[in-house]
Amino acid sequence: MEEPENFDWQGHRGARGNYPENTVPAFFFALDNGMNTLEMDVVISADSQVVVSHEPFFSEAISNIDSLKRDSLPNNIYKLSYSQIASIDCGSKGNAGFPDQVKMALAKPLLKDVIQATEEYAIQTQRSLPFYNIEIKSRPEWEGEFHPSIEVYADLLMQVATDAQIEYRLTVQSFDNRPLQYVHQKYPDVTLALLVEDSTSAEDHLSLLGFTPNIYSCYYLLVDEALVKFCKEKGMKLIPWTVNDAAEIKRLKALGVDGVITDYPALRKEF
């Protein structure tokens, strides 16, 4: 099992602060700025393609969805073919929450194309091959409507990873325990990260999950000395999200976290 460097710098959705999220230019920027790991999200299309997208629908915050309205198509990626998905511009509008983001006409890419592009770019620029932290965006109430069963969802992701030969540089992450439990059983060598956003104790989260994952990945303001100690005792890495301030990264590093996920990869230059 390969591992990233001792401190794992992860570019959130590539580099959401600088380029349209979950797109190839964002991932290239992350690599250019020293990210070890590319963090991203995947959803499933109607034709069973694994699409890099934070939501299983088109967010009006970043997408030009006029064509959906014009053609009376559902705003549900699981109900659309990839050719339909690829016709929607998700980069020219920008993101009001990230005013420095470069605006570019870009569609949501396929995971296999992202992996191919980033692997080739790393080789061309003489960088180490990246690691991939990929979130399964499942929810019990979405099953069958916005995504397939968690088994099919996870298997489709793992097939892409296996075909691309990145399975030993892959972390599968989720807020939903079910896909983590499934991957843990069927693909026991895959690194798993439990995503956490509430103040439920880490011990209770692990009890609900039913096993100790490789990584505990919580909202960064939940990190304190007690959580760092607990993770070390359990043999888990602690990699909080989403940390966009250099002073806060320094605080977290001093506490002993194992990495950070950030929208601004260029922050690494300050360390």
Side-chain angles (χ1 to χ4, degrees), residues 48-159:
S48 298
Q49 298 297 302
V50 183
V51 182
V52 183
S53 174
H54 186 257
E55 297 90 7
F57 49 84
F58 289 94
S59 167
E60 294 203 31
I62 64 170
S63 307
N64 178 359
I65 61 174
D66 288 345
S67 57
L68 288 178
K69 296 175 181 177
R70 181 177 64 248
D71 298 331
S72 298
L73 294 172
N75 187 9
N76 180 344
I77 289 172
Y78 188 47
K79 305 297 184 185
L80 300 171
S81 68
Y82 184 66
S83 63
Q84 292 171 315
I85 295 163
S87 71
I88 309 298
D89 178 3
C90 298
S92 296
K93 187 174 183 177
N95 185 325
F98 299 89
D100 295 331
Q101 188 184 98
V102 176
K103 297 178 181 180
M104 306 172 72
L106 295 165
K108 294 181 183 291
L110 291 173
L111 176 61
K112 64 180 181 181
D113 293 339
V114 166
I115 295 170
Q116 180 177 349
T118 53
E119 297 282 291
E120 291 176 352
Y121 187 72
I123 292 169
Q124 290 167 3
T125 56
Q126 299 183 321
R127 291 181 169 84
S128 298
L129 294 176
F131 289 75
Y132 298 86
N133 184 12
I134 302 179
E135 181 178 350
I136 291 178
K137 305 293 296 188
S138 59
R139 296 183 184 179
E141 65 271 23
W142 281 357
E143 193 151 334
E145 178 62 24
F146 284 99
H147 61 75
S149 69
I150 55 102
E151 294 85 1
V152 170
Y153 200 154
D155 285 342
L156 287 169
L157 166 57
M158 288 307 305
Q159 187 62 58

